Amino acid sequence: MSRPVTPADLRTIQTVAAEEARRLGRSLGLLPQDRDDLRQDLLVDLLSRLPAYDPARGTLGAFARVCMRHAALRIGEQYRQRRRRAHTVSLDDGLAGSEELTFADVLTEADSYGSWCGQPSDAFAALERHLDLERAVGAIDPEDHPLCAALSRHTPHEFGEQRTMPRMRIYRRIREIRLRLLAAGIPSAA
């Protein structure tokens, strides 16, 4: 390019990049915030090709549109290849051989989205935890429930500093709670 880029040229280039990023983002099914990354990729590609621009052959806008359209095709194909390699599956995707069932329809609880994210999904373990909690609540004296609630937010030392209960009494109550839980069959976690 023999002449410097003017502010009008920059506006034209920015407009073309935004249009191409929006078009590519729609075709790839991307969120609007991801389109800004596409726009930047298109601009970087154009900057590398700008020395080949010849004003005698056409306008900068037309050159930018052709370069960005070609770059959008390349970027789109790379994105689709990465998506195919990642084997991403939408829960709304239809199953092969069935016109009415989706992938979400055949997931068991153990295969749920939560389990894919690392959350426990074992129904038996959840039931056992629920029963253990009921047994623990039954083993703890109702007068100790406020103490347990306070200790879920503070350490025994911090709770003692609030001077709502003497520190020695707090530790004695904790020891008695632990013994009651152990007698109910719930061992200490630590």
Side-chain angles (χ1 to χ4, degrees):
M1 183 171 175
S2 59
R3 65 177 178 83
V5 177
T6 66
D9 292 337
L10 285 176
R11 280 192 299 277
T12 301
I13 291 171
Q14 288 285 347
T15 302
V16 170
E19 290 170 2
E20 289 299 319
R22 198 169 31 253
R23 186 182 61 76
L24 179 59
R26 273 193 316 264
S27 73
L28 294 175
L30 297 178
L31 297 172
Q33 57 266 31
D34 295 330
R35 294 178 188 165
D36 192 44
D37 293 338
L38 292 176
R39 183 182 60 80
Q40 291 174 8
D41 290 343
L42 294 171
L43 287 169
V44 167
D45 184 76
L46 177 67
L47 284 175
S48 69
R49 298 178 190 287
L50 210 50
Y53 170 63
D54 182 10
R57 297 184 68 195
T59 65
L60 182 60
F63 178 78
R65 187 165 304 279
V66 168
C67 287
M68 287 187 195
R69 182 96 13 117
H70 288 236
L73 290 171
R74 283 191 307 278
I75 291 170
E77 186 54 35
Q78 290 169 354
Y79 184 83
R80 287 181 193 95
Q81 285 176 357
R82 278 195 308 265
R83 192 182 280 174
R84 278 192 297 269
R85 280 194 305 265
H87 302 291
T88 55
V89 177
S90 170
L91 293 176
D92 297 325
D93 287 349
L95 288 178
S98 174
E99 294 180 15
E100 49 200 48
L101 286 177
T102 65
F103 186 64
D105 294 332
V106 296
L107 280 178
T108 64
E109 186 63 32
D111 295 330
S112 69
Y113 180 72
S115 67
W116 287 4
C117 295
Q119 297 173 347
S121 61
D122 185 5
F124 291 111
L127 178 63
E128 287 174 356
R129 274 192 308 275
H130 181 71
L131 293 173
D132 285 345
L133 284 173
E134 281 184 2
R135 195 172 50 211
V137 169
I140 296 173
D141 192 6
E143 73 179 37
D144 288 330
H145 289 181
L147 175 63
C148 292
L151 292 176
S152 70
R153 294 185 301 273
H154 304 286
T155 65
H157 182 75
E158 292 169 344
F159 185 63
E161 287 180 345
Q162 295 175 1
R163 304 208 188 280
T164 55
M165 184 184 293
R167 203 173 282 147
M168 283 302 295
R169 184 167 179 227
I170 294 170
Y171 285 106
R172 190 173 350 108
R173 299 303 305 156
I174 291 173
R175 188 176 64 244
E176 288 175 16
I177 291 170
R178 285 183 178 152
L179 286 173
R180 282 195 185 126
L181 291 174
L182 189 58
I186 301 169
S188 176

